[in-house]
Amino acid sequence: MQSNGGLTDANSFQGKDSILSGPAGGIVGAIATAEQAGFNKIIAFDMGGTSTDVAHYAGELERSFETEVAGVRMRVPMMNIHTVAAEGGSVLFFDGMRYRVGPDSAGANPGPASYRRGGPLTVTDANLILGKLSVFPAVFGKNADLSLDSAKAKQLFLDLSKDIQRATGKHKSPEQIAEGFISIATENMANAIKKISVQKGYNVAEYTLCCYGAAGGQHACKVADSLGMQRVLLHPFAGVLSAYGMGLADFRLLKDKALEQAFDSLSYTQLEEMFAIMQALGKQEMLAKSSTHQSIEFMSTIRLRYLGTDTALAVTFADKTMLISFEQAYLKQFGFVYTGKALIIESLCLEVVVKNELVTQSAYLHNALQEHNGTPFMSTRMFSNNRHHEAPVYQRDALVIGQVIQGAAIIIEATGTTIVEPDWQAQVSGQKNLILTRCCPVQRQVAIGTTVDPVMLEIFNKLFISIAEQMGFVLQNTAYSVNIKERLDFSCALFNAQGELIANAPHTLKIRET
């Protein structure tokens, strides 16, 4: 599996192509299963124990050709994935004024406080206190035969409650504190999704949130609410979709030819001849790498940018629609187009694809003939929206096709837990997907008052910083100045009516020590 979302022969595999191969497999799986369910515009949301990965899809795989990973810049085609430090292991703490979530992580060892290894409070502990992890495998402790330590987690939240009361003068129950932390974690994840959607001009309300990863289902409804999304998709293999997606991936080969020539200086016929040469070389290389004899498909794109800028957008290679497609994409992302400015062809891109027909799409329906009764096997008290709810708990394998489950409810399976929040419902599709939909509009607060709330203080802090960062993104990608677009010698900020600073995002270039 490669970071570009395609398979390659083992003898041709290189380390540089594997940096994001795991998350790329998840996106391939999300796209394949979502399209089979009838959804072709999705936000992929992969939440595990150490990070959360998000990606956008609306008909074509989005890739970046220059990526910085762990401070190392690489010119390698990779799926356009944004990672944020908001996950099950994110450490929770109170800094004296506001609640904080991450960026430190408890990791797998020692892990959350409830893992019985002396770890700190984490998002997982917060979900445990809220009653959302009432059923969990007994794999902890010295003999690996104990379940999560809810008593330890509750004691740490009680200690935190005393610290918060001393600082703010207000008493909060452990459940209220835990829900406050979850709200902040949700906002962090929602802001990550905005970077790959809203920031680029996409209206996420039109999309389906495709959740996967072991912790994705725990936060699906909350993240969707924060973004104004109305529908969530969870595949039967959502907990291990990255591995499943690798099995569904096609064989892919990406070829790139740099041009840096004026758009008007080359005719369509000349470009067509260049692509023909690239296709012949790509076909030869693909046949040498793969033993498959399936038909080979070619996807030709051309990367265009305005003269004097360095933001190139990829459009499909076509006779008369390339210019129109480029202007539409530029307008959608930046809100304007230049008039009378020359276009530059930065490069020609060719994707060679051989379909993977070794895996049947019906593999996950293995339990379709089992006897189901669709009834909950227990119930538990779940804290959500500042009050307790009696939540029935279902085994996902026991659900009946077409069954509708009203929230609040919990659906458990071998590789994850799905929380159906109040005002949401879950329906089992014919393919045994869980389709979560909102039953009624979100109740938005018109005014939150003037009393400082540690939770809302942190949420609005994240929101304002996100706005400043998005302003900088547009400025950087449309600027002529080298100081701005390369040295990042600028800062975007929000001020109030009196000119006082609310939030700023210094986009200063980070210089690493060598």
Side-chain angles (χ1 to χ4, degrees):
M1 186 66 192
Q2 303 174 98
S3 303
N4 62 25
L7 300 176
T8 188
D9 180 74
N11 294 325
S12 304
F13 187 68
Q14 298 181 17
K16 65 179 178 61
D17 296 320
S18 67
I19 305 299
L20 295 179
S21 57
I27 296 172
V28 171
I31 293 169
T33 55
E35 287 187 334
Q36 191 179 27
F39 306 119
N40 55 10
K41 296 174 71 174
I42 66 168
I43 298 295
F45 173 68
D46 177 8
M47 183 179 180
T50 55
S51 67
T52 294
D53 300 315
V54 296
H56 168 269
Y57 176 78
E60 62 180 24
L61 298 178
E62 295 185 357
R63 298 186 180 91
S64 56
F65 293 87
E66 184 173 325
T67 310
E68 184 174 323
V69 180
V72 179
R73 190 173 297 277
M74 295 172 290
R75 288 191 61 86
V76 180
M78 295 185 183
M79 299 288 283
N80 197 4
I81 301 168
H82 183 65
T83 302
V84 63
E87 70 286 334
S90 289
V91 177
L92 313 179
F93 63 98
F94 178 68
D95 68 359
M97 294 182 61
R98 55 187 179 174
Y99 295 14
R100 304 294 294 272
V101 178
D104 293 338
S105 174
N109 190 8
S114 54
Y115 277 19
R116 302 178 183 271
R117 293 196 188 110
L121 277 179
T122 68
V123 170
T124 295
D125 297 312
N127 279 324
L128 179 63
I129 291 297
L130 296 174
K132 297 180 179 181
L133 296 177
S134 54
V135 181
F136 210 87
V139 294
F140 303 100
K142 184 178 180 180
N143 298 319
D145 58 354
L146 300 176
S147 188
L148 293 172
D149 190 351
S150 57
K152 177 64 173 179
K154 188 165 186 176
Q155 182 58 52
L156 291 177
F157 272 109
L158 284 171
D159 295 342
L160 193 59
S161 174
K162 296 175 183 177
D163 294 339
I164 293 172
Q165 186 170 5
R166 282 194 294 268
T168 65
K170 293 183 178 181
H171 173 72
K172 296 281 187 180
S173 69
E175 291 84 0
Q176 289 174 317
I177 295 172
E179 187 170 45
F181 279 118
I182 293 297
S183 297
I184 294 168
T186 298
E187 202 60 43
N188 290 344
M189 292 181 281
N191 286 337
I193 291 175
K194 289 175 185 177
K195 287 182 181 293
I196 49 94
S197 57
V198 177
Q199 186 169 287
K200 295 186 177 181
Y202 302 112
N203 180 11
V204 291
E206 303 172 355
Y207 287 70
T208 298
L209 186 66
C210 184
C211 284
Y212 53 102
Q218 298 171 28
H219 300 266
C221 296
K222 293 287 190 181
V223 171
D225 278 343
S226 182
L227 294 164
M229 303 178 75
Q230 304 294 314
R231 184 170 54 234
V232 176
L233 169 68
L234 289 120
H235 186 266
F237 288 162
V240 290
L241 198 64
S242 292
Y244 184 60
M246 291 183 186
L248 299 179
D250 299 323
F251 293 89
R252 294 179 183 270
L253 171 67
L254 272 66
K255 299 190 74 65
D256 188 83
K257 179 179 177 64
L259 283 185
E260 293 294 339
Q261 295 187 39
F263 181 73
D264 295 334
S265 66
L266 294 170
S267 67
Y268 180 80
T269 303
Q270 289 175 304
L271 293 173
E272 201 171 33
E273 291 173 352
M274 292 180 187
F275 273 117
I277 295 173
M278 293 174 67
Q279 288 178 6
L281 293 173
K283 182 177 181 179
Q284 182 180 356
E285 191 173 340
M286 178 62 81
L287 291 175
K289 288 183 176 182
S290 174
S291 59
T292 181
H293 296 288
Q294 304 295 333
S295 60
I296 297 178
E297 298 179 4
F298 300 101
M299 289 179 283
S300 304
T301 57
I302 181 170
R303 292 173 59 81
L304 301 173
R305 62 177 174 82
Y306 284 114
L307 179 65
T309 70
D310 57 1
T311 303
L313 300 181
V315 297
T316 302
F317 178 64
D319 190 3
K320 296 181 179 179
T321 60
M322 288 185 290
L323 182 57
I324 297 174
S325 299
F326 171 78
E327 289 182 343
Q328 289 175 343
Y330 203 91
L331 180 64
K332 190 172 188 178
Q333 183 162 331
F334 299 115
F336 69 96
V337 293
Y338 291 104
T339 56
K341 184 173 290 295
L343 276 179
I344 301 296
I345 302 176
E346 186 175 272
S347 62
L348 306 182
C349 303
L350 179 72
E351 186 168 355
V352 187
V353 182
V354 174
K355 292 294 182 182
N356 181 5
E357 298 182 0
L358 300 177
V359 181
T360 60
Q361 291 283 341
S362 59
Y364 60 85
L365 296 179
H366 62 281
N367 58 358
L369 299 179
Q370 293 181 6
E371 293 294 329
H372 306 305
N373 54 26
T375 58
F377 68 93
M378 63 172 286
S379 65
T380 187
R381 280 172 62 82
M382 186 177 86
F383 191 87
S384 182
N385 298 340
N386 205 33
R387 66 188 184 92
H388 284 97
H389 305 266
E390 196 66 26
V393 183
Y394 298 82
Q395 282 279 3
R396 182 163 178 173
D397 285 345
L399 300 180
V400 180
I401 290 177
Q403 181 175 353
V404 176
I405 299 172
Q406 300 292 335
I410 300 175
I411 302 171
I412 66 169
E413 55 190 306
T415 57
T417 299
T418 299
I419 305 300
V420 185
E421 296 285 351
D423 299 329
W424 281 78
Q425 69 176 24
Q427 184 170 15
V428 185
S429 72
Q431 299 165 330
K432 301 215 75 177
N433 293 310
L434 280 180
I435 310 295
L436 277 56
T437 53
R438 200 165 223 296
C439 305
C440 58
V442 180
Q443 298 296 319
R444 301 290 185 185
Q445 287 183 310
V446 177
I448 62 171
T450 57
T451 304
V452 175
D453 181 276
V455 176
M456 296 308 296
L457 184 64
E458 177 66 1
I459 288 176
F460 275 98
N461 175 57
K462 297 292 186 183
L463 284 172
F464 291 143
I465 290 178
S466 176
I467 293 171
E469 288 176 346
Q470 291 179 53
M471 291 161 58
F473 172 82
V474 176
L475 180 61
Q476 178 187 356
N477 286 323
T478 58
Y480 287 100
S481 169
V482 175
N483 278 353
I484 289 178
K485 67 184 182 182
E486 292 185 10
R487 294 185 61 229
L488 306 185
D489 188 12
F490 67 95
S491 177
C492 291
L494 295 178
F495 301 87
N496 63 13
Q498 287 72 44
E500 298 170 329
L501 179 66
I502 296 176
N504 80 305
H507 296 82
T508 306
L509 178 65
K510 296 179 181 179
I511 301 176
R512 297 187 297 113
E513 293 184 3
T514 58

